[in-house]
Amino acid sequence: MFGSHKAYKAVRKELVENQQLRAVISMPSGVFKPYAGVSTGILIFTRTDAGGTDKVWFYDMKADGFSLDDKRNPIEANDIPDILERFANLDAEETRERTEQSFLVPKEEIVDNDYDLFLNKYKKIEYVPVEYPPTSELLAELKTIEEKISVELLELEKLLCGKN
């Protein structure tokens, strides 16, 4: 799905141009653990041999109802019901922003991106600026912490070594 070799691109182009690529669901790494730890994607398409791709729905799946470690214990977070509901009602996805968990991408944009189906190619990431205190304040705080550590180390030494 993401390879850069000619064969991978040819398959993606075939799905977009000659079939009807309907959806790309990006799954997190660990979904198929313990058998495979790599991230996986699902391509949903209809074989038409005559094209039909107009827009492709992308979904950024975060959880499948199980932990992403080797144990795969049940957890509360599960995107699968949302995926099924949204895929059944793609018209409602028209107004979703590229910053959301799912959105539509026009075929032309995929073609312009050399048939790349990597979700992050199309998803917009919102960066929230973080304000940090001035360096002088941080250094002063570190000095205070260091002084406390020195005092407590001396007290510990007195307790352990019997020094007065």
Side-chain angles (χ1 to χ4, degrees):
M1 192 162 75
F2 311 119
S4 59
H5 294 289
K6 287 182 183 180
Y8 296 123
K9 181 183 169 190
V11 169
R12 294 190 306 260
K13 183 176 181 179
E14 172 68 22
L15 290 172
V16 171
E17 295 294 343
N18 300 324
Q19 311 306 324
Q20 183 185 24
L21 181 61
R22 302 186 63 210
V24 175
I25 301 169
S26 178
M27 302 168 78
S29 57
V31 169
F32 292 107
K33 276 191 168 186
Y35 310 106
V38 297
S39 59
T40 307
I42 298 172
L43 301 177
I44 299 174
F45 64 96
T46 302
R47 183 175 177 178
T48 64
D49 293 324
T53 301
D54 181 31
K55 294 178 182 173
V56 178
W57 182 63
F58 284 81
Y59 192 100
D60 188 10
M61 181 174 149
K62 307 266 191 238
D64 68 342
F66 295 90
S67 63
L68 297 174
D69 58 12
D70 288 344
K71 295 180 183 177
R72 299 287 288 152
N73 293 319
I75 61 170
E76 197 170 314
N78 185 356
D79 291 331
I80 294 173
D82 188 50
I83 291 170
L84 295 173
E85 183 179 327
R86 290 185 181 283
F87 185 71
N89 190 17
L90 290 179
D91 291 338
E93 297 291 296
E94 291 282 345
T95 58
R96 292 183 54 94
E97 297 293 325
R98 298 273 180 99
T99 55
E100 298 184 64
Q101 197 164 1
S102 64
F103 51 86
L104 290 165
V105 175
K107 172 188 172 184
E108 299 78 29
E109 189 174 343
I110 294 170
V111 172
D112 290 345
N113 280 298
D114 213 19
Y115 300 98
D116 194 334
L117 298 178
F118 187 53
L119 177 126
N120 288 341
K121 185 77 154 185
Y122 307 101
K123 187 168 185 151
K124 291 182 184 172
I125 298 177
E126 292 179 321
Y127 294 100
V128 179
V130 177
E131 294 273 337
Y132 293 102
T135 306
S136 58
E137 284 182 30
L138 292 173
L139 287 172
E141 187 177 336
L142 283 172
K143 285 180 182 178
T144 303
I145 292 169
E146 190 174 293
E147 288 170 4
K148 285 182 183 178
I149 291 172
S150 293
V151 168
E152 290 181 8
L153 275 174
L154 285 173
E155 288 179 21
L156 182 62
E157 185 179 20
K158 286 178 187 176
L159 287 170
L160 295 175
C161 301
K163 294 183 179 178
N164 291 327

